[in-house]
Amino acid sequence: MTDQNPPARIGLVAATAAGRRYADAVTAAWPHARLVEGDSVADALRSAWAGSDAVVAFLATGAVVRILAPLLGDKRTDPAVVVVDEAARHAVALLGGHAGGGNALAEQVGTLLDARPVITTATDTVDLPGLDTLGWPVQGAVAAVSRAILDGEPVRLIADADWPLPALPPNVRPADGDTPEHGYRLLVTDRVVPPDERTAVLRPPSLVAGVGASRGVPAAEVFELLHRALAEAGLDPASLRCLASADVKADEAGIRSTADALGVPLVTWPATRLAAVDVPNPSEVVRAAVGTPSVAEAAALLGPDGRAADATLLVGKTATAMATVAVARHAPRGRLAVVGLGPGAADLRTPRAVAELRRASVVVGLDQYLDQVRDVFRPGTRVLSSGLGAEEERARVAVAEAAAGRAVALVGSGDAGVYAMASPALEYADERIDVVGVPGVTAALAAGALLGAPLGHDHAYVSLSDLHTPWEVIERRVTAAAEGDFVTVFYNPRSRARDWQLGKALGILGVHRPPDTPVGVVRNASRPGERTHLATVATIDPAVVDMYSVVVVGSSDTRLVAGRMVTPRGYRWRS
């Protein structure tokens, strides 16, 4: 599964009526896809190749190969090509599997047409991360090192800092006495590396170029100055994370064009923030002109996040007639993805959640939740599991692992931000780490879908667990929901040790609800043993409820329609 969006421009080519029907299905789903016509199928395919980011050809694979072979250039710039057979049984990722997104597109086309995606990229077929899929530019002997990883040969991992890499197989490890000095190497560095036949280089996003300029500076002057400064410092432009400047330069065409040419964003800062940064080469002339003694050096140190303390100035300001640049290296930051797994069923788990689990080198979670997703982890993933009641410890462990520079996924069921792991983790997560939140389908949503439409109007979630919240506080909240006539969803409704709270809460709601107000209980929503139970406020038996259940109590407007709970929205057209 993939969370990538389809390419922006997809050219479709079809030769038969069946192919055109499949093409129509694709264009109906993806408005950015278009059927490309030509004097012949070959002309149409060549036109699609020239004018699209990706091509989906409803043709024979051999024909596509013969037509496109003379046009092949570089896998980093050629469009991806997916071939679909006449019966739409298979969607074959023919070209650009990784770099062009062809593998992801084959999966998406397969889902759309109910065709089986055919992926032949070696790393994908054995569930290893391709070096060109790690999210950073990769250079050097990529094919040779990838083959060595696949063949299980020792590969030395040499990183100039602790970057949050995904899980790598056991044969890729930091250099030690058992690793051959002249074997294969995977370097993670922003420095220029002499090419050799056994070294691949991952370029981390570590560099920020600060840019100052006179009004009307030519883009060529900025571009050439920046490249000269990087080259003289032995730094590779592929590691540029962004350009940075002063707010007053946000619309400077020469700077913006340089950022666009490099494929990086332009970040700007107000003069007051720039002036607060200690720099080695301040200028009173610059202060008089823009309100800060430094633009290039200060902006390079602030970078995209405003954390000058994490940065080291590598290239002090260097200037031409109209441009000034400086370059800073920003320290890597750990990565914490807080991932909601959904209510339990694999098909209710989002593609983004799967992608984050595969992006991580360390996964932390409750043992029973981790058991649901172990088949998703890449080989080499370190799994840290614990039992019920260890939520705070899991949060601390996940944050500590991320603070050490690792890529960490902390999992919870449903949505990780709803009575789950996001809030305890973010209480400890500080500025040393980047946090990514991955939403999930909540237990309430899964239960609501099974019951009908009970959440169709305003509703409130209340946890009845008084382990961390005093019952007096819970009681006030239940009373407020009752008086406000909210549909009320009870999480953690009843356990062996807490067997009276649900009855008390239902009694509070019963004071403000008709006795025939529907109540729905869903146990193990989307998991084995799923069961629903319908009752009313007057007839519900708390004994049918346990900690695997969600209880949904309707508002005074909620009714049963054909055995389903429905809370009307009160649309005007209904009256």
Side-chain angles (χ1 to χ4, degrees):
M1 300 176 71
T2 176
D3 68 342
Q4 293 183 16
N5 293 320
R9 298 175 301 162
I10 301 177
L12 310 176
V13 180
T16 67
R20 284 188 286 273
R21 285 198 303 273
Y22 302 138
D24 288 343
V26 173
T27 56
W30 297 338
H32 51 284
R34 64 184 182 93
L35 183 65
V36 179
E37 306 281 4
D39 294 335
S40 66
V41 172
D43 287 340
L45 187 54
R46 284 188 283 264
S47 296
W49 173 272
S52 307
D53 300 310
V55 177
V56 179
F58 300 93
L59 303 168
T61 303
V64 174
V65 170
R66 284 192 296 274
I67 294 166
L68 294 182
L71 306 179
L72 296 178
D74 188 295
K75 71 176 184 179
R76 289 180 290 273
T77 56
D78 288 345
V81 177
V82 172
V83 178
V84 179
D85 64 272
E86 179 73 3
R89 291 195 182 98
H90 301 94
V92 182
L94 186 67
L95 293 170
H98 285 160
N103 292 349
L105 182 60
E107 291 187 355
Q108 293 159 342
V109 170
T111 299
L112 196 59
L113 301 178
D114 197 23
R116 181 178 180 180
V118 179
I119 311 295
T120 59
T121 312
T123 49
D124 291 79
T125 58
V126 296
D127 202 28
L128 293 177
L131 296 181
D132 51 356
T133 67
L134 302 184
W136 298 340
V138 59
Q139 302 169 346
V142 179
V145 175
S146 296
R147 174 51 58 188
I149 293 173
L150 286 167
D151 290 345
E153 297 188 41
V155 176
R156 286 187 296 156
L157 176 64
I158 304 172
D160 55 16
D162 291 326
W163 289 96
L165 295 171
L168 295 170
N171 58 313
V172 181
R173 59 181 185 268
D176 56 30
D178 298 326
T179 309
E181 283 295 321
H182 301 292
Y184 293 97
R185 300 189 306 165
L186 176 59
L187 306 186
V188 186
T189 181
D190 54 26
R191 297 234 170 242
V192 172
V193 176
D196 68 60
E197 297 178 349
R198 289 174 168 255
T199 300
V201 185
L202 277 173
R203 296 299 185 186
S206 55
L207 303 178
V208 174
V211 183
S214 302
R215 183 61 66 185
V217 63
E221 185 172 341
V222 178
F223 190 86
E224 291 167 7
L225 175 61
L226 175 56
H227 274 265
R228 186 170 73 247
L230 290 169
E232 290 175 355
L235 301 172
D236 195 289
S239 279
L240 276 173
R241 182 173 178 181
C242 66
L243 301 190
S245 191
D247 279 353
V248 294
K249 300 300 177 182
D251 62 347
E252 188 63 53
I255 299 176
R256 285 209 161 274
S257 295
T258 301
D260 291 342
L262 292 166
V264 299
L266 171 62
V267 177
T268 60
W269 294 97
T272 51
R273 285 295 306 276
L274 295 170
V277 179
D278 185 27
V279 297
N281 302 294
S283 167
E284 290 305 315
V285 174
V286 174
R287 186 198 295 273
V290 294
T292 171
S294 172
V295 172
E297 290 181 342
L301 289 166
L302 282 177
D305 303 317
R307 298 185 178 95
D310 294 340
T312 302
L313 194 66
L314 301 180
V315 179
K317 70 176 183 180
T318 180
T320 58
M322 298 183 70
T324 305
V325 301
V327 181
R329 175 184 289 139
H330 286 250
R333 296 158 55 78
R335 190 175 193 275
L336 175 63
V338 187
V339 180
L341 298 180
D347 59 354
L348 290 180
R349 190 183 307 144
T350 67
R352 186 173 299 179
V354 173
E356 285 297 341
L357 293 175
R358 295 174 67 78
R359 170 70 177 78
S361 63
V362 181
V363 180
V364 182
L366 180 67
D367 46 14
Q368 59 186 280
Y369 297 154
L370 293 175
D371 288 343
Q372 298 173 11
V373 290
R374 286 183 187 274
D375 60 315
V376 172
F377 303 156
R378 290 196 186 277
T381 301
R382 188 154 55 94
V383 180
L384 304 178
S385 65
S386 53
L388 285 169
E391 289 84 0
E392 186 171 0
E393 178 61 22
R394 282 195 291 276
R396 288 181 180 275
V397 166
V399 170
E401 291 285 338
R406 301 182 181 98
V408 181
L410 174 63
V411 304
S413 73
D415 181 279
V418 179
Y419 300 122
M421 294 305 303
S423 55
L426 298 192
E427 286 187 60
Y428 299 115
D430 56 27
E431 293 185 349
R432 294 172 295 171
I433 62 178
D434 294 318
V435 176
V436 178
V438 182
V441 177
T442 66
L445 294 178
L450 291 167
L451 292 170
L455 307 181
H457 212 310
D458 296 339
H459 50 277
Y461 293 2
V462 180
S463 170
L464 295 185
S465 172
D466 55 2
L467 295 177
H468 303 291
T469 305
W471 174 251
E472 293 76 16
V473 174
I474 296 172
E475 191 171 28
R476 286 201 306 270
R477 292 171 181 172
V478 175
T479 301
E483 293 175 345
D485 199 20
F486 288 92
V487 174
T488 306
V489 182
F490 289 130
Y491 275 67
N492 306 312
R494 187 173 181 270
S495 69
R496 282 175 292 183
R498 296 183 298 100
D499 59 359
W500 60 268
Q501 287 88 343
L502 177 59
K504 179 72 172 177
L506 289 169
I508 294 170
L509 290 173
V511 173
H512 300 272
R513 300 281 194 279
D516 61 349
T517 300
V519 177
V521 179
V522 178
R523 187 177 191 276
N524 283 331
S526 89
R527 297 193 297 271
E530 175 185 283
R531 187 175 73 240
T532 62
H533 174 75
L534 286 173
T536 67
V537 167
T539 63
I540 181 67
D541 179 6
V544 304
V545 178
D546 61 13
M547 281 293 287
Y548 296 98
S549 305
V550 172
V551 179
V552 183
V553 183
S555 71
S556 60
D557 291 326
T558 303
R559 65 199 65 167
L560 287 180
V561 180
R564 291 179 287 270
M565 287 180 69
V566 179
T567 304
R569 284 293 309 274
Y571 289 111
R572 292 179 180 178
W573 56 264
R574 291 284 297 174
S575 59

